[in-house]
Amino acid sequence: MKYFLSSLLFLFCFVPLLHAQQSVRFSYLAERLTDTSGVLQIHLKSSDSTSFFAAEQSAADNPFTAQLHVAGKDSMVAIHRVTAIGKPMVEKDNGEHTLTLYPDSVTFVYPLHLNKDSSTIKGTFVWLGRKGDDYPSNEEKFVVHLPAVVSAANTSENVPVADQTVWSVFLLTFGAGLLAIITPCVFPLIPVTVSFFLKRSKTRTEGIRNAVWYSISIIAIYTIPTLLLTLIFGDTVLYTISTSAITNLLFFVIFIVFSISFFGAFELNLPSSWANKADQKAGKGGLSGIFFMALTLVIVSFSCTGPIVGTLLGQTSAKGVSIAPVIGMLGFGVGLALPFSLFAFFPSMLSALPKSGGWLNSVKVTFGFIELALALKFLSNVDLIYHWHLLNRDVFLVLWIVVFALMGMYLLGKLKFSHDSDLPYITVPRLFFAIITFSFALYLVPGLWGAPLQPLSGFIPPATTQDFNLDNLNYKIDDLKNGHFSAVPSNGTQALPPQKYIDKLEVPFGLTAYFDLEEGMAAAKILRKPIMLDFTGHSCPNCRKMEEQVWKNPDVLSRIKNNFVLVSLYVDESTELPAAEQIILPNADKLTTVGEKNLNYEVTKFGLNAQPLYMFLDLNGQPLSDVKYGYNPDVNKFIQHLDAVKQKFDTTLK
């Protein structure tokens, strides 16, 4: 009898649970993107029409959610940033909770914050489903191996390692910090500050220590706020901000104001009360007093260093490396602070510094011209995103030619502002700077007729925006001679040409691209060609560099034309999606623009938020390679990668 009752208990309580487990299949995949970041993917698939509830932020807010719990301290999962890949159904229950379900299958993608030595991820995943009136659920334990980051040294196809990008960022910003030293806001303070430390200190050793602490304080003031922003709002917050149309428009206004200030129309300073309060605290002495002396320097020098810092933040954030802005501000701080320590170690070098004078004002005015040119760059990004067509490539180049020609005239003393000192003669350094400036202006002139200007491809608008372009005309003539690459494949079947967004978006060099993944996939299935996904952006300088320096190569161009269906997905495209194509995410955020949809696809499918990114898909929409190929100007490596992907695709067709 006892055995019979036990059997009944097993049948009524455990068999339904066992059935639920058998009807739902799980798969787990962890991928390391950098030493400290990665993604965890949890895939659920049902064989009996079970729908799965979304994984949301907190079960306290909504009990109808899946929950993830990770064991140990080797990794942290960003639960609040979970995204889902699937077809969501949204409905309300009797308690007015918003329920999000995914019929049959769903993939949850969690961003990871990792330790460098993390090798596995252990935890439990509590899922909840619905089938008719039943709500099957269970707690699944998992252990996932975490592969190491594949570096460029181990594969000829991979993206350049992040360390190389970080070092280039540091060196660039370090040089900018040294450049900021010669601005009229900073240069006069060097001898005064160093002499103050040496004379006030009881011993030379103490003076050197104080100067070093002063330098460390400057570095911390520039670096720590950037680090805090990254830690609080996520690795890509500064990247997202820097590529935003609103941010670029704001930078345009700020840089115009700075340039007018540098030309002498008015003085632009932070509120004097900030400097006064910092100065009062600096007078208390000790290490804290020295820190506030450094803060006073940062505030007082803002009118000169602010534009440089703003430019560096924009450029380093756009590289797509999460730590790059922090490294950028570290490099700038080190470059700016280094002379204060250097002159404290070798005070005799102070006598070799040139005296302050009118030359500092000339430096400031020269920066004004440079700020004006950079302002046009930020406005160009906004113009491309919103398709205003105010700053097409030829108009932009004309403005830059005029700006740098005027700058050269100023350096030669042919253009003078009211606050400039008399210039009785031209110094040799000033003459050479004028020669460089006029040469640069003349270098831009052939670009008006379509010259590629490859070194500037990341800064000027793309060639597709130019009204008259001999280069593009040659590509169109070649297409007419040789036939269009994607219209008719060898079997005679014709694919539909691109339809969506072709009135707003273009690709260079006579290529044909689809700007919608579904359209491109449909064409690929007819043409029996793999998809080349080009994640790009209007405000992406490295995308333009790849196009001009790599795509334009005849061997690369022929492969893209003949072997692939090109799908260019702009992550900052402002065109609004039709209501039927707008997406509601599990966290209730709504994707309403083409750019938001494309960026969400890039993040959820490939775990990256950086452009350019080149991924390749088969006819089922699955990646043909695990390599995430980003900015790499090596033409041969790109050709090798294209050939390897094409060979793998051909193998799948057999």
Side-chain angles (χ1 to χ4, degrees):
M1 186 67 178
K2 180 186 292 187
Y3 175 78
F4 178 73
L5 292 175
S6 300
S7 300
L8 285 178
L9 181 63
F10 175 81
L11 289 173
F12 282 105
C13 297
F14 293 98
V15 169
L17 178 60
L18 182 62
H19 175 71
Q21 286 182 288
Q22 292 175 340
S23 64
V24 178
R25 294 184 179 180
F26 299 86
S27 61
Y28 303 89
L29 175 66
E31 183 174 6
R32 187 190 290 273
L33 305 178
T34 68
D35 283 343
T36 58
S37 66
V39 290
L40 171 65
Q41 297 185 30
I42 302 177
H43 180 68
L44 289 75
K45 184 173 180 60
S46 167
S47 60
D48 63 352
S49 302
T50 297
S51 297
F52 300 101
F53 284 94
E56 298 192 11
Q57 298 181 7
S58 173
D61 300 330
N62 186 349
F64 295 95
T65 59
Q67 296 293 310
L68 175 67
H69 306 281
V70 174
K73 297 181 180 179
D74 287 345
S75 60
M76 293 188 300
V77 180
I79 303 293
H80 299 282
R81 294 170 57 195
V82 60
T83 54
I85 304 173
K87 297 180 179 179
M89 298 189 308
V90 180
E91 57 188 58
K92 295 279 188 179
D93 69 351
N94 295 332
E96 293 303 312
H97 287 116
T98 299
L99 305 180
T100 304
L101 296 106
Y102 294 86
D104 300 325
S105 67
V106 64
T107 301
F108 297 118
V109 182
Y110 294 88
L112 299 174
H113 299 285
L114 305 167
N115 289 338
K116 191 172 183 178
D117 299 327
S118 300
S119 59
T120 58
I121 300 176
K122 301 177 182 180
T124 57
F125 182 71
V126 183
W127 64 275
L128 176 64
R130 187 178 72 183
K131 182 185 178 184
D133 295 331
D134 296 329
Y135 291 85
S137 67
N138 199 19
E139 181 178 284
E140 301 290 333
K141 294 184 178 181
F142 64 88
V143 178
V144 187
H145 173 68
L146 193 63
V149 177
V150 181
S151 68
N154 297 327
T155 173
S156 62
E157 301 176 354
N158 208 357
V159 192
V161 292
D163 288 346
Q164 296 173 343
T165 303
V166 167
W167 271 111
S168 66
V169 166
F170 180 82
L171 293 175
L172 169 68
T173 54
F174 175 75
L178 291 176
L179 183 65
I181 289 294
I182 64 171
T183 61
C185 310
V186 180
F187 186 81
L189 298 176
I190 296 176
V192 175
T193 305
V194 174
S195 299
F196 172 79
F197 284 134
L198 295 178
K199 291 177 181 178
R200 164 179 150 172
S201 304
K202 296 178 181 178
T203 64
R204 184 170 181 271
T205 302
E206 183 182 350
I208 292 175
R209 185 202 67 183
N210 291 339
V212 170
W213 176 247
Y214 181 78
S215 298
I216 293 173
S217 299
I218 292 174
I219 297 170
I221 290 168
Y222 279 107
T223 307
I224 291 176
T226 310
L227 179 61
L228 290 176
L229 275 174
T230 303
L231 291 176
I232 294 172
F233 297 104
D235 292 344
T236 59
V237 59
L238 291 173
Y239 170 79
T240 304
I241 292 173
S242 69
T243 55
S244 161
I246 296 175
T247 304
N248 279 273
L249 188 59
L250 181 62
F251 272 134
F252 164 72
V253 173
I254 291 174
F255 275 48
I256 286 290
V257 172
F258 271 118
S259 64
I260 295 173
S261 173
F262 283 9
F263 291 147
F266 52 83
E267 281 296 324
L268 187 64
N269 296 301
L270 290 176
S272 58
S273 59
W274 295 10
N276 292 336
K277 289 181 180 178
D279 196 41
Q280 290 172 6
K281 293 183 179 293
K284 295 180 179 180
L287 295 181
S288 63
I290 295 174
F291 174 83
F292 282 102
M293 283 184 64
L295 181 60
T296 303
L297 169 75
V298 173
I299 294 173
V300 170
S301 63
F302 170 77
S303 62
C304 294
T305 59
I308 302 176
V309 171
T311 304
L312 293 177
L313 275 176
Q315 292 298 315
T316 56
S317 300
K319 290 183 179 293
V321 180
S322 60
I323 200 67
V326 179
I327 297 298
M329 289 303 97
L330 175 64
F332 181 81
V334 171
L336 182 63
L338 182 62
F340 291 95
S341 294
L342 188 63
F343 286 115
F345 278 100
F346 306 102
S348 60
M349 294 174 58
L350 288 172
S351 60
L353 287 177
K355 303 298 181 182
S356 299
W359 69 273
L360 280 176
N361 181 71
S362 298
V363 171
K364 191 172 182 178
V365 173
T366 302
F367 276 139
F369 285 107
I370 296 173
E371 293 301 317
L372 185 58
L374 290 173
L376 293 172
K377 164 59 181 169
F378 289 114
L379 182 61
S380 170
N381 290 340
V382 182
D383 181 69
L384 290 169
I385 293 172
Y386 289 120
H387 309 289
W388 293 339
H389 298 293
L390 298 175
L391 277 180
N392 288 342
R393 190 173 187 261
D394 40 6
V395 176
F396 182 92
L397 289 176
V398 165
L399 291 173
W400 263 30
I401 291 169
V402 171
V403 167
F404 286 102
L406 290 174
M407 179 175 160
M409 292 175 63
Y410 175 80
L411 290 170
L412 290 178
K414 302 301 181 183
L415 186 66
K416 185 177 178 181
F417 291 90
S418 60
H419 58 296
D420 282 327
S421 304
D422 291 332
L423 188 66
Y425 60 89
I426 301 296
T427 62
V428 173
R430 193 160 182 151
L431 174 63
F432 276 99
F433 280 123
I435 292 173
I436 292 171
T437 304
F438 278 121
S439 299
F440 180 71
L442 289 174
Y443 170 77
L444 297 175
V445 173
L448 297 174
W449 290 274
L453 305 179
Q454 285 193 8
L456 298 174
S457 54
F459 295 92
I460 60 179
T464 54
T465 66
Q466 190 151 333
D467 292 332
F468 180 70
N469 191 321
L470 290 174
D471 208 14
N472 280 350
L473 182 61
N474 290 334
Y475 284 115
K476 290 179 181 178
I477 292 173
D478 289 342
D479 282 342
L480 290 174
K481 290 180 179 178
N482 301 326
H484 198 272
F485 89 97
S486 67
V488 183
S490 57
N491 60 10
T493 307
Q494 185 168 349
L496 291 175
Q499 300 293 324
K500 289 187 174 181
Y501 318 122
I502 57 174
D503 58 330
K504 295 181 172 64
L505 303 175
E506 294 180 277
V507 287
F509 316 132
L511 288 168
T512 295
Y514 293 85
F515 304 106
D516 178 81
L517 180 58
E518 287 73 19
E519 272 194 353
M521 186 60 68
K525 290 180 179 179
I526 294 174
L527 300 170
R528 309 290 288 174
K529 293 182 179 181
I531 289 276
M532 175 179 170
L533 283 180
D534 164 35
F535 289 102
T536 184
H538 298 294
S539 55
C540 170
N542 284 342
C543 301
R544 304 292 85 78
K545 289 180 183 179
M546 281 293 291
E547 291 165 0
E548 289 289 345
Q549 298 174 16
V550 179
W551 287 27
K552 195 174 184 179
N553 180 278
D555 293 331
V556 174
L557 195 60
S558 65
R559 283 168 168 81
I560 296 176
K561 280 187 175 183
N562 300 317
N563 297 342
F564 299 93
V565 173
L566 178 62
V567 178
S568 290
L569 300 180
Y570 281 77
V571 301
D572 54 2
E573 173 55 39
S574 61
T575 301
E576 188 167 343
L577 289 165
E581 296 182 21
Q582 294 181 3
I583 300 171
I584 300 177
L585 298 177
N587 61 3
D589 288 346
K590 192 173 185 179
L591 307 180
T592 60
T593 68
V594 173
E596 290 173 345
K597 175 185 176 182
N598 292 338
L599 182 59
N600 179 69
Y601 173 67
E602 180 186 12
V603 173
T604 55
K605 180 74 172 179
F606 304 109
L608 281 182
N609 179 16
Q611 294 81 45
L613 175 65
Y614 306 111
M615 298 301 295
F616 300 83
L617 306 180
D618 62 19
L619 300 182
N620 296 316
Q622 297 304 311
L624 287 166
S625 170
D626 294 331
V627 175
K628 294 177 173 61
Y629 204 106
Y631 174 70
N632 185 345
D634 190 319
V635 173
N636 290 330
K637 284 187 178 180
F638 196 65
I639 290 175
Q640 291 172 12
H641 189 63
L642 292 177
D643 290 344
V645 170
K646 180 63 166 60
Q647 183 178 7
K648 184 173 181 180
F649 175 80
D650 292 341
T651 302
T652 63
L653 293 181
K654 294 178 181 178

